[in-house]
Amino acid sequence: MSHNIVAHLTPTNLLPRIRAEQENVLEGNFQRNRNPNDLDLTIISAEANLSEDAVKKWYQHRLACWRQQQGLPANSGSVKD
């Protein structure tokens, strides 16, 4: 099963509920690697004690936020979008 991370803003009420220590694990991993592969997602989910789906959804939202900070469209697509 491939877990390609595609930037996507998600309404906050649809994001997984994450405790502060889990957010720290996720954010630390995001700063090192914004596009984790399947094995990375498995490891991150174990470190954060979250499901891989929750980690993927968090990463997609966080990547969209990062893209906005960089002046790019939030959702994945061409820079020309």
Side-chain angles (χ1 to χ4, degrees):
M1 184 171 146
S2 181
H3 289 100
N4 293 333
I5 300 298
V6 177
H8 179 74
L9 280 177
T10 302
T12 54
N13 64 319
L14 298 178
L15 289 171
R17 292 180 186 249
I18 297 174
R19 296 185 314 269
E21 60 271 14
Q22 292 171 315
E23 179 107 27
N24 290 338
V25 169
L26 294 169
E27 186 63 36
N29 279 285
F30 182 82
Q31 294 303 319
R32 289 188 293 279
N33 179 8
R34 286 186 293 276
N35 194 19
N37 61 33
D38 289 347
L39 179 59
D40 294 331
L41 281 175
T42 301
I43 293 168
I44 294 166
S45 68
E47 288 176 353
N49 197 25
L50 292 166
S51 71
E52 287 184 36
D53 285 341
V55 172
K56 181 179 177 184
K57 186 172 278 197
W58 183 90
Y59 256 84
Q60 289 173 329
H61 182 78
R62 181 65 181 87
L63 185 58
C65 293
W66 177 84
R67 285 175 57 89
Q68 282 185 321
Q69 292 169 344
Q70 302 304 309
L72 299 168
N75 295 330
S76 288
S78 170
V79 175
K80 297 176 185 176
D81 290 347

